[in-house]
Amino acid sequence: LHLLSHPSLSLSVVLLDLSHSPEPCHVLSRHSLPITDLHCGHMGAQARVATSSLDQTVKVWELSSGELLLSVLFDMEIMSVTFDPSEYFLFCGGRDGKIFQVSLCSQVST
């Protein structure tokens, strides 16, 4: 599977499987302003992709299905995004240099 995006121009990320067809598998397109960064996790078929955007959001997607798993809204533009090596946390870099940590394992109490 290949990721295709030009972060300074794009509102979406195109996922391609060039071994089968040149047609896109999925188009990740829920950002309203250009994507500034993307990071693909290391979990093989279960991998997740994180995208950051000038629209002040970070979105986490399931690579295999293209499903949006999480959207986090910040109070500033987010310029970079990465998972920690265990993929329990997402680190997001704001335009002002602040780094935000988002837990991907938070439990909601009922």
Side-chain angles (χ1 to χ4, degrees):
L1 211 53
H2 299 275
L3 301 173
L4 180 64
S5 176
H6 190 287
S8 65
L9 302 175
S10 182
L11 301 180
S12 62
V13 175
V14 177
L15 302 177
L16 302 171
D17 184 350
L18 298 178
S19 65
H20 292 96
S21 167
E23 295 298 317
C25 298
H26 307 290
V27 177
L28 313 179
S29 61
R30 300 262 186 105
H31 286 290
S32 59
L33 291 172
I35 293 170
T36 55
D37 196 18
L38 65 87
H39 180 82
C40 185
H42 301 287
M43 295 178 12
Q46 301 301 315
R48 296 176 290 184
V49 175
T51 55
S52 60
S53 172
L54 295 178
D55 66 9
Q56 301 182 348
T57 67
V58 168
K59 299 185 184 303
V60 178
W61 314 81
E62 182 178 78
L63 186 61
S64 62
S65 69
E67 178 184 355
L68 178 63
L69 301 174
L70 176 69
S71 182
V72 181
L73 177 64
F74 294 88
D75 61 358
M76 70 181 66
E77 297 166 332
I78 302 298
M79 305 309 292
S80 60
V81 64
T82 190
F83 295 111
D84 75 298
S86 301
E87 298 188 26
Y88 294 141
F89 295 97
L90 194 61
F91 294 95
C92 311
R95 180 173 286 282
D96 67 354
K98 289 182 183 172
I99 298 174
F100 302 94
Q101 179 179 320
V102 177
S103 173
L104 298 174
C105 302
S106 295
Q107 301 255 338
V108 177
S109 51
T110 56

